[in-house]
PDB file of all heavy atoms in Angstrom:
ATOM      1  N   PHE A  12     -18.359  20.281   7.957  1.00  0.00           N
ATOM      2  CA  PHE A  12     -19.010  20.342   9.264  1.00  0.00           C
ATOM      3  C   PHE A  12     -20.443  19.833   9.244  1.00  0.00           C
ATOM      4  O   PHE A  12     -21.151  19.936  10.238  1.00  0.00           O
ATOM      5  CB  PHE A  12     -18.992  21.777   9.815  1.00  0.00           C
ATOM      6  CG  PHE A  12     -19.633  22.777   8.897  1.00  0.00           C
ATOM      7  CD1 PHE A  12     -20.998  22.985   8.895  1.00  0.00           C
ATOM      8  CD2 PHE A  12     -18.856  23.514   8.024  1.00  0.00           C
ATOM      9  CE1 PHE A  12     -21.575  23.918   8.052  1.00  0.00           C
ATOM     10  CE2 PHE A  12     -19.433  24.455   7.176  1.00  0.00           C
ATOM     11  CZ  PHE A  12     -20.785  24.653   7.184  1.00  0.00           C
ATOM     12  N   PHE A  13     -20.926  19.310   8.131  1.00  0.00           N
ATOM     13  CA  PHE A  13     -22.331  18.925   8.056  1.00  0.00           C
ATOM     14  C   PHE A  13     -22.617  17.734   8.969  1.00  0.00           C
ATOM     15  O   PHE A  13     -23.613  17.733   9.692  1.00  0.00           O
ATOM     16  CB  PHE A  13     -22.734  18.614   6.613  1.00  0.00           C
ATOM     17  CG  PHE A  13     -22.875  19.861   5.790  1.00  0.00           C
ATOM     18  CD1 PHE A  13     -21.882  20.217   4.879  1.00  0.00           C
ATOM     19  CD2 PHE A  13     -23.970  20.678   5.929  1.00  0.00           C
ATOM     20  CE1 PHE A  13     -22.008  21.372   4.120  1.00  0.00           C
ATOM     21  CE2 PHE A  13     -24.098  21.839   5.173  1.00  0.00           C
ATOM     22  CZ  PHE A  13     -23.113  22.187   4.257  1.00  0.00           C
ATOM     23  N   PHE A  14     -21.826  16.696   8.940  1.00  0.00           N
ATOM     24  CA  PHE A  14     -21.990  15.603   9.896  1.00  0.00           C
ATOM     25  C   PHE A  14     -20.698  14.812   9.988  1.00  0.00           C
ATOM     26  O   PHE A  14     -19.849  14.860   9.119  1.00  0.00           O
ATOM     27  CB  PHE A  14     -23.183  14.708   9.521  1.00  0.00           C
ATOM     28  CG  PHE A  14     -23.059  14.048   8.172  1.00  0.00           C
ATOM     29  CD1 PHE A  14     -22.526  12.777   8.053  1.00  0.00           C
ATOM     30  CD2 PHE A  14     -23.521  14.691   7.032  1.00  0.00           C
ATOM     31  CE1 PHE A  14     -22.424  12.164   6.825  1.00  0.00           C
ATOM     32  CE2 PHE A  14     -23.429  14.077   5.800  1.00  0.00           C
ATOM     33  CZ  PHE A  14     -22.894  12.805   5.691  1.00  0.00           C
ATOM     34  N   GLU A  15     -20.591  14.078  11.106  1.00  0.00           N
ATOM     35  CA  GLU A  15     -19.375  13.345  11.404  1.00  0.00           C
ATOM     36  C   GLU A  15     -19.754  11.928  11.805  1.00  0.00           C
ATOM     37  O   GLU A  15     -20.700  11.734  12.588  1.00  0.00           O
ATOM     38  CB  GLU A  15     -18.595  14.030  12.532  1.00  0.00           C
ATOM     39  CG  GLU A  15     -17.438  13.218  13.075  1.00  0.00           C
ATOM     40  CD  GLU A  15     -16.775  13.872  14.273  1.00  0.00           C
ATOM     41  OE1 GLU A  15     -16.524  15.096  14.215  1.00  0.00           O
ATOM     42  OE2 GLU A  15     -16.531  13.197  15.283  1.00  0.00           O
ATOM     43  N   THR A  16     -19.060  10.949  11.272  1.00  0.00           N
ATOM     44  CA  THR A  16     -19.227   9.558  11.705  1.00  0.00           C
ATOM     45  C   THR A  16     -17.952   9.112  12.374  1.00  0.00           C
ATOM     46  O   THR A  16     -16.852   9.554  12.021  1.00  0.00           O
ATOM     47  CB  THR A  16     -19.548   8.642  10.513  1.00  0.00           C
ATOM     48  OG1 THR A  16     -18.496   8.732   9.549  1.00  0.00           O
ATOM     49  CG2 THR A  16     -20.855   9.042   9.837  1.00  0.00           C
ATOM     50  N   ARG A  17     -18.114   8.217  13.349  1.00  0.00           N
ATOM     51  CA  ARG A  17     -16.940   7.807  14.134  1.00  0.00           C
ATOM     52  C   ARG A  17     -17.076   6.351  14.526  1.00  0.00           C
ATOM     53  O   ARG A  17     -18.144   5.921  15.006  1.00  0.00           O
ATOM     54  CB  ARG A  17     -16.798   8.707  15.374  1.00  0.00           C
ATOM     55  CG  ARG A  17     -15.695   8.299  16.308  1.00  0.00           C
ATOM     56  CD  ARG A  17     -15.339   9.472  17.239  1.00  0.00           C
ATOM     57  NE  ARG A  17     -16.499  10.002  17.897  1.00  0.00           N
ATOM     58  CZ  ARG A  17     -16.907   9.668  19.122  1.00  0.00           C
ATOM     59  NH1 ARG A  17     -16.234   8.763  19.799  1.00  0.00           N
ATOM     60  NH2 ARG A  17     -17.951  10.219  19.654  1.00  0.00           N
ATOM     61  N   LEU A  18     -16.031   5.588  14.332  1.00  0.00           N
ATOM     62  CA  LEU A  18     -15.920   4.209  14.817  1.00  0.00           C
ATOM     63  C   LEU A  18     -14.658   4.120  15.664  1.00  0.00           C
ATOM     64  O   LEU A  18     -13.669   4.790  15.384  1.00  0.00           O
ATOM     65  CB  LEU A  18     -15.826   3.219  13.655  1.00  0.00           C
ATOM     66  CG  LEU A  18     -17.062   3.037  12.765  1.00  0.00           C
ATOM     67  CD1 LEU A  18     -16.727   2.107  11.605  1.00  0.00           C
ATOM     68  CD2 LEU A  18     -18.219   2.473  13.572  1.00  0.00           C
ATOM     69  N   GLU A  19     -14.701   3.270  16.687  1.00  0.00           N
ATOM     70  CA  GLU A  19     -13.527   3.104  17.524  1.00  0.00           C
ATOM     71  C   GLU A  19     -13.522   1.719  18.133  1.00  0.00           C
ATOM     72  O   GLU A  19     -14.575   1.092  18.314  1.00  0.00           O
ATOM     73  CB  GLU A  19     -13.488   4.158  18.624  1.00  0.00           C
ATOM     74  CG  GLU A  19     -14.671   4.169  19.553  1.00  0.00           C
ATOM     75  CD  GLU A  19     -14.598   5.285  20.573  1.00  0.00           C
ATOM     76  OE1 GLU A  19     -14.767   6.454  20.188  1.00  0.00           O
ATOM     77  OE2 GLU A  19     -14.349   4.967  21.763  1.00  0.00           O
ATOM     78  N   THR A  20     -12.328   1.251  18.454  1.00  0.00           N
ATOM     79  CA  THR A  20     -12.172  -0.012  19.137  1.00  0.00           C
ATOM     80  C   THR A  20     -10.868   0.002  19.900  1.00  0.00           C
ATOM     81  O   THR A  20      -9.892   0.600  19.462  1.00  0.00           O
ATOM     82  CB  THR A  20     -12.202  -1.200  18.129  1.00  0.00           C
ATOM     83  OG1 THR A  20     -12.214  -2.430  18.859  1.00  0.00           O
ATOM     84  CG2 THR A  20     -10.984  -1.179  17.238  1.00  0.00           C
ATOM     85  N   GLU A  21     -10.864  -0.650  21.058  1.00  0.00           N
ATOM     86  CA  GLU A  21      -9.646  -0.740  21.846  1.00  0.00           C
ATOM     87  C   GLU A  21      -8.747  -1.840  21.289  1.00  0.00           C
ATOM     88  O   GLU A  21      -9.222  -2.826  20.700  1.00  0.00           O
ATOM     89  CB  GLU A  21      -9.980  -0.994  23.319  1.00  0.00           C
ATOM     90  CG  GLU A  21     -10.732   0.148  23.959  1.00  0.00           C
ATOM     91  CD  GLU A  21     -10.893  -0.079  25.468  1.00  0.00           C
ATOM     92  OE1 GLU A  21     -10.439  -1.127  25.967  1.00  0.00           O
ATOM     93  OE2 GLU A  21     -11.502   0.801  26.121  1.00  0.00           O
ATOM     94  N   TYR A  22      -7.469  -1.698  21.518  1.00  0.00           N
ATOM     95  CA  TYR A  22      -6.515  -2.681  21.001  1.00  0.00           C
ATOM     96  C   TYR A  22      -6.775  -4.078  21.585  1.00  0.00           C
ATOM     97  O   TYR A  22      -6.586  -5.081  20.903  1.00  0.00           O
ATOM     98  CB  TYR A  22      -5.074  -2.247  21.308  1.00  0.00           C
ATOM     99  CG  TYR A  22      -4.666  -0.961  20.647  1.00  0.00           C
ATOM    100  CD1 TYR A  22      -4.186   0.116  21.360  1.00  0.00           C
ATOM    101  CD2 TYR A  22      -4.780  -0.818  19.258  1.00  0.00           C
ATOM    102  CE1 TYR A  22      -3.820   1.300  20.743  1.00  0.00           C
ATOM    103  CE2 TYR A  22      -4.420   0.362  18.638  1.00  0.00           C
ATOM    104  CZ  TYR A  22      -3.937   1.395  19.379  1.00  0.00           C
ATOM    105  OH  TYR A  22      -3.591   2.584  18.770  1.00  0.00           O
ATOM    106  N   LYS A  23      -7.226  -4.124  22.825  1.00  0.00           N
ATOM    107  CA  LYS A  23      -7.461  -5.426  23.444  1.00  0.00           C
ATOM    108  C   LYS A  23      -8.631  -6.168  22.796  1.00  0.00           C
ATOM    109  O   LYS A  23      -8.758  -7.391  22.985  1.00  0.00           O
ATOM    110  CB  LYS A  23      -7.735  -5.256  24.956  1.00  0.00           C
ATOM    111  CG  LYS A  23      -8.995  -4.490  25.272  1.00  0.00           C
ATOM    112  CD  LYS A  23      -9.193  -4.329  26.770  1.00  0.00           C
ATOM    113  CE  LYS A  23     -10.482  -3.587  27.083  1.00  0.00           C
ATOM    114  NZ  LYS A  23     -10.669  -3.410  28.546  1.00  0.00           N
ATOM    115  N   SER A  24      -9.474  -5.434  22.044  1.00  0.00           N
ATOM    116  CA  SER A  24     -10.627  -6.081  21.394  1.00  0.00           C
ATOM    117  C   SER A  24     -10.304  -6.544  19.983  1.00  0.00           C
ATOM    118  O   SER A  24     -11.176  -7.145  19.322  1.00  0.00           O
ATOM    119  CB  SER A  24     -11.809  -5.085  21.336  1.00  0.00           C
ATOM    120  OG  SER A  24     -12.179  -4.697  22.629  1.00  0.00           O
ATOM    121  N   ILE A  25      -9.114  -6.286  19.501  1.00  0.00           N
ATOM    122  CA  ILE A  25      -8.774  -6.666  18.136  1.00  0.00           C
ATOM    123  C   ILE A  25      -8.536  -8.169  18.067  1.00  0.00           C
ATOM    124  O   ILE A  25      -7.737  -8.736  18.812  1.00  0.00           O
ATOM    125  CB  ILE A  25      -7.540  -5.895  17.660  1.00  0.00           C
ATOM    126  CG1 ILE A  25      -7.839  -4.402  17.565  1.00  0.00           C
ATOM    127  CG2 ILE A  25      -7.075  -6.404  16.296  1.00  0.00           C
ATOM    128  CD1 ILE A  25      -6.640  -3.553  17.206  1.00  0.00           C
ATOM    129  N   ARG A  26      -9.239  -8.835  17.146  1.00  0.00           N
ATOM    130  CA  ARG A  26      -9.086 -10.270  16.969  1.00  0.00           C
ATOM    131  C   ARG A  26      -8.078 -10.614  15.875  1.00  0.00           C
ATOM    132  O   ARG A  26      -7.297 -11.545  15.994  1.00  0.00           O
ATOM    133  CB  ARG A  26     -10.442 -10.889  16.631  1.00  0.00           C
ATOM    134  CG  ARG A  26     -10.422 -12.402  16.455  1.00  0.00           C
ATOM    135  CD  ARG A  26     -11.788 -12.925  16.120  1.00  0.00           C
ATOM    136  NE  ARG A  26     -12.258 -12.366  14.839  1.00  0.00           N
ATOM    137  CZ  ARG A  26     -13.472 -12.502  14.366  1.00  0.00           C
ATOM    138  NH1 ARG A  26     -14.387 -13.142  15.077  1.00  0.00           N
ATOM    139  NH2 ARG A  26     -13.811 -11.971  13.215  1.00  0.00           N
ATOM    140  N   ASP A  27      -8.095  -9.819  14.795  1.00  0.00           N
ATOM    141  CA  ASP A  27      -7.206 -10.120  13.665  1.00  0.00           C
ATOM    142  C   ASP A  27      -7.085  -8.885  12.800  1.00  0.00           C
ATOM    143  O   ASP A  27      -7.919  -7.968  12.844  1.00  0.00           O
ATOM    144  CB  ASP A  27      -7.775 -11.277  12.844  1.00  0.00           C
ATOM    145  CG  ASP A  27      -6.736 -11.859  11.896  1.00  0.00           C
ATOM    146  OD1 ASP A  27      -5.552 -11.501  12.032  1.00  0.00           O
ATOM    147  OD2 ASP A  27      -7.117 -12.622  10.999  1.00  0.00           O
ATOM    148  N   THR A  28      -6.015  -8.813  12.020  1.00  0.00           N
ATOM    149  CA  THR A  28      -5.828  -7.746  11.045  1.00  0.00           C
ATOM    150  C   THR A  28      -5.469  -8.371   9.707  1.00  0.00           C
ATOM    151  O   THR A  28      -4.745  -9.371   9.648  1.00  0.00           O
ATOM    152  CB  THR A  28      -4.706  -6.765  11.480  1.00  0.00           C
ATOM    153  OG1 THR A  28      -3.489  -7.510  11.645  1.00  0.00           O
ATOM    154  CG2 THR A  28      -5.058  -6.054  12.746  1.00  0.00           C
ATOM    155  N   LYS A  29      -6.007  -7.787   8.648  1.00  0.00           N
ATOM    156  CA  LYS A  29      -5.738  -8.270   7.303  1.00  0.00           C
ATOM    157  C   LYS A  29      -5.463  -7.093   6.388  1.00  0.00           C
ATOM    158  O   LYS A  29      -6.024  -6.002   6.567  1.00  0.00           O
ATOM    159  CB  LYS A  29      -6.921  -9.057   6.755  1.00  0.00           C
ATOM    160  CG  LYS A  29      -7.227 -10.353   7.520  1.00  0.00           C
ATOM    161  CD  LYS A  29      -8.423 -11.075   6.946  1.00  0.00           C
ATOM    162  CE  LYS A  29      -8.731 -12.343   7.714  1.00  0.00           C
ATOM    163  NZ  LYS A  29      -9.933 -13.057   7.174  1.00  0.00           N
ATOM    164  N   VAL A  30      -4.609  -7.306   5.400  1.00  0.00           N
ATOM    165  CA  VAL A  30      -4.309  -6.279   4.421  1.00  0.00           C
ATOM    166  C   VAL A  30      -4.756  -6.743   3.034  1.00  0.00           C
ATOM    167  O   VAL A  30      -4.489  -7.880   2.656  1.00  0.00           O
ATOM    168  CB  VAL A  30      -2.787  -5.985   4.397  1.00  0.00           C
ATOM    169  CG1 VAL A  30      -2.455  -5.020   3.253  1.00  0.00           C
ATOM    170  CG2 VAL A  30      -2.336  -5.366   5.714  1.00  0.00           C
ATOM    171  N   LYS A  31      -5.466  -5.876   2.336  1.00  0.00           N
ATOM    172  CA  LYS A  31      -5.901  -6.168   0.980  1.00  0.00           C
ATOM    173  C   LYS A  31      -5.477  -5.023   0.058  1.00  0.00           C
ATOM    174  O   LYS A  31      -5.682  -3.869   0.399  1.00  0.00           O
ATOM    175  CB  LYS A  31      -7.407  -6.364   0.904  1.00  0.00           C
ATOM    176  CG  LYS A  31      -7.906  -7.622   1.613  1.00  0.00           C
ATOM    177  CD  LYS A  31      -9.387  -7.829   1.423  1.00  0.00           C
ATOM    178  CE  LYS A  31      -9.871  -9.096   2.141  1.00  0.00           C
ATOM    179  NZ  LYS A  31     -11.327  -9.297   1.955  1.00  0.00           N
ATOM    180  N   VAL A  32      -4.887  -5.374  -1.064  1.00  0.00           N
ATOM    181  CA  VAL A  32      -4.467  -4.386  -2.077  1.00  0.00           C
ATOM    182  C   VAL A  32      -5.350  -4.605  -3.317  1.00  0.00           C
ATOM    183  O   VAL A  32      -5.310  -5.677  -3.905  1.00  0.00           O
ATOM    184  CB  VAL A  32      -2.988  -4.544  -2.424  1.00  0.00           C
ATOM    185  CG1 VAL A  32      -2.586  -3.509  -3.468  1.00  0.00           C
ATOM    186  CG2 VAL A  32      -2.135  -4.426  -1.182  1.00  0.00           C
ATOM    187  N   PRO A  33      -6.172  -3.596  -3.697  1.00  0.00           N
ATOM    188  CA  PRO A  33      -7.157  -3.815  -4.745  1.00  0.00           C
ATOM    189  C   PRO A  33      -6.594  -4.114  -6.143  1.00  0.00           C
ATOM    190  O   PRO A  33      -7.179  -4.899  -6.876  1.00  0.00           O
ATOM    191  CB  PRO A  33      -7.961  -2.494  -4.764  1.00  0.00           C
ATOM    192  CG  PRO A  33      -7.678  -1.855  -3.450  1.00  0.00           C
ATOM    193  CD  PRO A  33      -6.306  -2.283  -3.081  1.00  0.00           C
ATOM    194  N   ASN A  34      -5.502  -3.480  -6.529  1.00  0.00           N
ATOM    195  CA  ASN A  34      -5.026  -3.634  -7.883  1.00  0.00           C
ATOM    196  C   ASN A  34      -3.508  -3.543  -7.936  1.00  0.00           C
ATOM    197  O   ASN A  34      -2.841  -3.237  -6.948  1.00  0.00           O
ATOM    198  CB  ASN A  34      -5.686  -2.608  -8.828  1.00  0.00           C
ATOM    199  CG  ASN A  34      -5.520  -1.190  -8.294  1.00  0.00           C
ATOM    200  OD1 ASN A  34      -4.408  -0.724  -8.097  1.00  0.00           O
ATOM    201  ND2 ASN A  34      -6.639  -0.494  -8.041  1.00  0.00           N
ATOM    202  N   ILE A  35      -2.986  -3.772  -9.133  1.00  0.00           N
ATOM    203  CA  ILE A  35      -1.520  -3.795  -9.323  1.00  0.00           C
ATOM    204  C   ILE A  35      -0.920  -2.425  -9.129  1.00  0.00           C
ATOM    205  O   ILE A  35       0.168  -2.271  -8.558  1.00  0.00           O
ATOM    206  CB  ILE A  35      -1.197  -4.320 -10.748  1.00  0.00           C
ATOM    207  CG1 ILE A  35      -1.659  -5.781 -10.899  1.00  0.00           C
ATOM    208  CG2 ILE A  35       0.303  -4.225 -11.020  1.00  0.00           C
ATOM    209  CD1 ILE A  35      -1.449  -6.354 -12.268  1.00  0.00           C
ATOM    210  N   LEU A  36      -1.615  -1.356  -9.587  1.00  0.00           N
ATOM    211  CA  LEU A  36      -1.088  -0.005  -9.421  1.00  0.00           C
ATOM    212  C   LEU A  36      -0.912   0.338  -7.948  1.00  0.00           C
ATOM    213  O   LEU A  36       0.125   0.877  -7.539  1.00  0.00           O
ATOM    214  CB  LEU A  36      -2.015   1.005 -10.087  1.00  0.00           C
ATOM    215  CG  LEU A  36      -1.645   2.477  -9.920  1.00  0.00           C
ATOM    216  CD1 LEU A  36      -0.266   2.746 -10.510  1.00  0.00           C
ATOM    217  CD2 LEU A  36      -2.685   3.385 -10.557  1.00  0.00           C
ATOM    218  N   GLU A  37      -1.927   0.028  -7.132  1.00  0.00           N
ATOM    219  CA  GLU A  37      -1.823   0.350  -5.716  1.00  0.00           C
ATOM    220  C   GLU A  37      -0.779  -0.552  -5.023  1.00  0.00           C
ATOM    221  O   GLU A  37      -0.157  -0.131  -4.039  1.00  0.00           O
ATOM    222  CB  GLU A  37      -3.198   0.211  -5.059  1.00  0.00           C
ATOM    223  CG  GLU A  37      -4.196   1.244  -5.557  1.00  0.00           C
ATOM    224  CD  GLU A  37      -5.453   1.332  -4.724  1.00  0.00           C
ATOM    225  OE1 GLU A  37      -5.533   0.641  -3.691  1.00  0.00           O
ATOM    226  OE2 GLU A  37      -6.374   2.072  -5.126  1.00  0.00           O
ATOM    227  N   ARG A  38      -0.592  -1.744  -5.525  1.00  0.00           N
ATOM    228  CA  ARG A  38       0.488  -2.580  -4.982  1.00  0.00           C
ATOM    229  C   ARG A  38       1.858  -1.962  -5.292  1.00  0.00           C
ATOM    230  O   ARG A  38       2.752  -1.948  -4.456  1.00  0.00           O
ATOM    231  CB  ARG A  38       0.420  -3.991  -5.541  1.00  0.00           C
ATOM    232  CG  ARG A  38       1.469  -4.946  -4.988  1.00  0.00           C
ATOM    233  CD  ARG A  38       1.267  -6.348  -5.488  1.00  0.00           C
ATOM    234  NE  ARG A  38       0.044  -6.930  -4.939  1.00  0.00           N
ATOM    235  CZ  ARG A  38      -0.062  -7.469  -3.737  1.00  0.00           C
ATOM    236  NH1 ARG A  38       0.995  -7.490  -2.935  1.00  0.00           N
ATOM    237  NH2 ARG A  38      -1.205  -7.985  -3.331  1.00  0.00           N
ATOM    238  N   PHE A  39       1.996  -1.417  -6.506  1.00  0.00           N
ATOM    239  CA  PHE A  39       3.240  -0.767  -6.894  1.00  0.00           C
ATOM    240  C   PHE A  39       3.474   0.485  -6.034  1.00  0.00           C
ATOM    241  O   PHE A  39       4.612   0.788  -5.656  1.00  0.00           O
ATOM    242  CB  PHE A  39       3.178  -0.379  -8.374  1.00  0.00           C
ATOM    243  CG  PHE A  39       4.373   0.391  -8.848  1.00  0.00           C
ATOM    244  CD1 PHE A  39       5.596  -0.232  -9.060  1.00  0.00           C
ATOM    245  CD2 PHE A  39       4.262   1.757  -9.077  1.00  0.00           C
ATOM    246  CE1 PHE A  39       6.686   0.496  -9.491  1.00  0.00           C
ATOM    247  CE2 PHE A  39       5.354   2.483  -9.506  1.00  0.00           C
ATOM    248  CZ  PHE A  39       6.564   1.857  -9.714  1.00  0.00           C
ATOM    249  N   LEU A  40       2.392   1.218  -5.719  1.00  0.00           N
ATOM    250  CA  LEU A  40       2.494   2.441  -4.923  1.00  0.00           C
ATOM    251  C   LEU A  40       2.492   2.157  -3.415  1.00  0.00           C
ATOM    252  O   LEU A  40       2.609   3.074  -2.611  1.00  0.00           O
ATOM    253  CB  LEU A  40       1.321   3.389  -5.243  1.00  0.00           C
ATOM    254  CG  LEU A  40       1.289   3.923  -6.675  1.00  0.00           C
ATOM    255  CD1 LEU A  40       0.003   4.717  -6.902  1.00  0.00           C
ATOM    256  CD2 LEU A  40       2.499   4.778  -6.981  1.00  0.00           C
ATOM    257  N   ASP A  41       2.345   0.886  -3.046  1.00  0.00           N
ATOM    258  CA  ASP A  41       2.305   0.456  -1.628  1.00  0.00           C
ATOM    259  C   ASP A  41       1.132   1.118  -0.907  1.00  0.00           C
ATOM    260  O   ASP A  41       1.282   1.740   0.141  1.00  0.00           O
ATOM    261  CB  ASP A  41       3.627   0.786  -0.922  1.00  0.00           C
ATOM    262  CG  ASP A  41       3.767   0.002   0.384  1.00  0.00           C
ATOM    263  OD1 ASP A  41       2.962  -0.918   0.605  1.00  0.00           O
ATOM    264  OD2 ASP A  41       4.656   0.346   1.175  1.00  0.00           O
TER     265      ASP A  41
END
């Protein structure tokens, strides 16, 4: 409860989406 940060955006404002997987282990774990 010390502090809260918040970001938001509407779907109509989305220009693009990208997926990045940092390493092989996380790719294996999806």
Side-chain angles (χ1 to χ4, degrees):
F12 56 84
F13 286 104
F14 60 93
E15 171 185 314
T16 58
R17 175 162 52 96
L18 292 175
E19 60 183 71
T20 187
E21 294 187 0
Y22 296 125
K23 65 181 181 181
S24 301
I25 295 176
R26 182 180 62 189
D27 194 11
T28 57
K29 296 180 180 178
V30 173
K31 292 185 180 180
V32 180
N34 53 59
I35 296 177
L36 176 60
E37 293 192 5
R38 182 175 293 278
F39 175 75
L40 297 174
D41 197 11

